[in-house]
Amino acid sequence: MQEIVNDVREKQFDYKPREEKKINWRAYNTAQYREMAETLDFIRKLVDLAEERVAARKRKHEQKPFGRPPVIPASDVLKVLLMQTYLNQGNRVAEGLEILFKDRLGLRTEFSYKEIERGYEDVEVRKLINEVRKLTNEPVKDKEKTFSIDGTGNKTATKQHYQSARSKQHTDQATTNTETDEFPHGDKPFVASVGVIGVKYKLYASWAATSQRGRGELSMFNEAFTDAIRIHPNMELFLGDGLYAKRPICDKVGEAGVKPVFLPARNVTMKKKKVKEWVEMLSWIVDDPQGFLEAYHMRSISETGYSMDKRAFPKPIYKRLPYRKNTVSSLRYLVHNIKQLAYIKHLCKEIELTFSNRA
């Protein structure tokens, strides 16, 4: 087992790659030139549905609030925040775009850039963000079975580069013979996040974000995995890099009825320590290394998703308050999902893009 793991890590294992997936380029081109219009249409539709679902829960479980309703609906604010994130614009420019796309987004009010700014910390907006996240995953709920988890960092200054900072961190750890799951940081911390993405349709099922220094990637695992399994209870495989190859995490994944697929360290042992999923995973490596690696290498979809987002959102996160930074990170994940639905519409005919107004 240790020999197999070592060969895989040294890239010396004779792995038979999967066949390349065929792409319908005509449909892809159609999706590309319709992307902006359909992304804005999905923003309007999904936020309106999320508002209905949140309101229905309030009517069922909460008393009717006192006083006048808010002048500016949280749904309008979220629509503008998503449009602003998608187009990579600041608050003042977003105020002008709000007027331009008012009919397309179905906005009921007009408001200033200050209201847009306050939306990043609005509790009602955050509730809608969570509801829209669930809605974007609804069409693939019974079709996406394999998910991958990984961490990344969004820069908060122009000269920051996450991959360089991560490489330097790994070099320093190798030199000092230490190991940590902390996110790298310099003069300014990255807005670190962990995302769980479906490997077939590339939709994020969940994510967790933080701008807190010293926070580790593993400390965000429970939140991300728990949210993902709530939306996709029929999940079958859960993939992750060597950082997640630990017995407590295998135990947590196994408790949910999901099979863990993590590449262990070179000095790994078969000691069970009350975690049967650990032994089952390592036995799979020994008995069928090709089958294990065929599943494990789909983990690269996590990196593919992050690469898509780095190109789509090249600007740093300029917000100063931590919770506003975290909201920007969540909005980027959400825009990724909404934009991906616009491509699924044309490239995945087996998916019916219908959404329920019932939570």
Side-chain angles (χ1 to χ4, degrees):
M1 179 187 60
Q2 291 181 351
E3 289 176 1
I4 294 172
V5 171
N6 186 66
D7 287 345
V8 172
R9 289 191 171 277
E10 295 294 333
K11 299 182 180 180
Q12 296 176 354
F13 187 83
D14 187 19
Y15 171 67
K16 298 176 183 177
R18 295 187 302 274
E19 293 183 6
E20 289 190 10
K21 182 181 177 181
K22 293 182 179 179
I23 300 175
N24 184 342
W25 289 109
R26 176 175 292 183
Y28 183 79
N29 289 336
T30 301
Q32 274 198 314
Y33 71 71
R34 294 183 63 88
E35 179 195 302
M36 180 179 288
E38 293 188 345
T39 298
L40 294 175
D41 288 343
F42 273 123
I43 288 174
R44 183 191 69 247
K45 183 177 182 179
L46 292 169
V47 175
D48 285 345
L49 281 172
E51 184 181 37
E52 287 182 31
R53 288 167 62 150
V54 171
R57 280 204 297 270
K58 281 185 178 179
R59 287 193 297 269
K60 187 176 180 180
H61 299 291
E62 298 178 10
Q63 293 182 349
K64 185 177 180 180
F66 295 99
R68 297 171 60 185
V71 177
I72 303 171
S75 58
D76 279 15
V77 177
L78 179 56
K79 288 176 184 178
V80 174
L81 291 180
L82 289 169
M83 178 266 295
Q84 173 191 19
T85 304
Y86 173 63
L87 297 175
N88 281 295
Q89 298 297 336
N91 294 339
R92 289 172 175 81
V93 176
E95 183 180 349
L97 293 173
E98 166 201 328
I99 300 170
L100 179 63
F101 293 115
K102 181 178 180 180
D103 294 335
R104 190 104 204 182
L105 293 173
L107 300 178
R108 290 164 284 182
T109 56
E110 289 185 14
F111 42 92
S112 71
Y113 72 92
K114 276 296 182 182
E115 293 296 339
I116 296 172
E117 181 181 320
R118 282 189 281 267
Y120 284 94
E121 58 190 78
D122 191 302
V123 175
E124 295 302 317
V125 169
R126 292 186 184 184
K127 288 180 182 177
L128 289 175
I129 288 174
N130 190 47
E131 203 63 42
V132 176
R133 172 180 67 90
K134 297 175 185 176
L135 280 165
T136 56
N137 279 268
E138 205 169 80
V140 302
K141 188 173 182 179
D142 297 320
K143 295 180 174 63
E144 187 72 86
K145 304 289 187 181
T146 305
F147 291 82
S148 175
I149 187 171
D150 199 11
T152 190
N154 292 306
K155 61 185 181 180
T156 56
T158 304
K159 293 184 178 181
Q160 280 183 313
H161 189 271
Y162 181 76
Q163 191 58 44
S164 298
R166 179 60 98 182
S167 298
K168 182 178 182 303
Q169 183 190 40
H170 288 163
T171 302
D172 293 343
Q173 288 178 7
T175 303
T176 59
N177 196 25
T178 59
E179 184 178 354
T180 177
D181 69 324
E182 284 186 16
F183 288 96
H185 56 78
D187 295 334
K188 291 186 176 181
F190 291 91
V191 180
S193 62
V194 170
V196 176
I197 191 171
V199 302
K200 186 174 183 181
Y201 299 105
K202 299 183 179 68
L203 291 169
Y204 287 103
S206 64
W207 54 80
T210 181
S211 54
Q212 181 182 344
R213 286 180 182 268
R215 184 81 182 269
E217 188 173 331
L218 292 179
S219 69
M220 303 163 77
F221 166 78
N222 280 340
E223 180 183 350
F225 178 72
T226 303
D227 285 348
I229 203 69
R230 284 196 192 113
I231 297 178
H232 297 278
N234 297 323
M235 187 188 300
E236 294 178 356
L237 297 178
F238 194 73
L239 322 177
D241 58 21
L243 180 66
Y244 294 91
K246 294 176 172 50
R247 290 176 182 84
I249 290 181
C250 288
D251 187 38
K252 175 78 174 178
V253 174
E255 283 179 357
V258 184
K259 195 171 185 178
V261 186
F262 309 128
L263 185 65
R266 290 179 172 87
N267 60 349
V268 63
T269 67
M270 295 283 282
K271 291 180 180 178
K272 187 175 181 179
K273 296 185 179 179
K274 300 181 181 180
V275 181
K276 65 181 182 62
E277 289 81 11
W278 177 257
V279 176
E280 290 172 356
M281 183 180 73
L282 298 184
S283 299
W284 186 13
I285 296 175
V286 176
D287 299 337
D288 183 16
Q290 288 288 347
F292 175 86
L293 291 174
E294 185 176 354
Y296 171 74
H297 283 313
M298 290 190 290
R299 190 198 65 79
S300 62
I301 297 299
S302 284
E303 296 171 2
T304 300
Y306 288 140
S307 295
M308 293 165 63
D309 296 342
K310 301 290 185 186
R311 291 193 299 271
F313 313 113
K315 291 184 178 180
I317 295 178
Y318 290 121
K319 305 297 180 187
R320 293 190 178 185
L321 299 177
Y323 40 84
R324 289 186 179 182
K325 290 180 181 180
N326 298 346
T327 301
V328 174
S329 181
S330 294
L331 288 168
R332 289 183 175 185
Y333 278 113
L334 200 54
V335 168
H336 169 103
N337 277 10
I338 295 171
K339 188 168 68 172
Q340 193 65 15
L341 289 176
Y343 282 83
I344 288 173
K345 177 179 177 180
H346 298 280
L347 295 171
C348 306
K349 297 301 182 183
E350 74 277 12
I351 298 297
E352 187 178 354
L353 292 179
T354 57
F355 308 93
S356 172
N357 62 354
R358 296 181 179 179

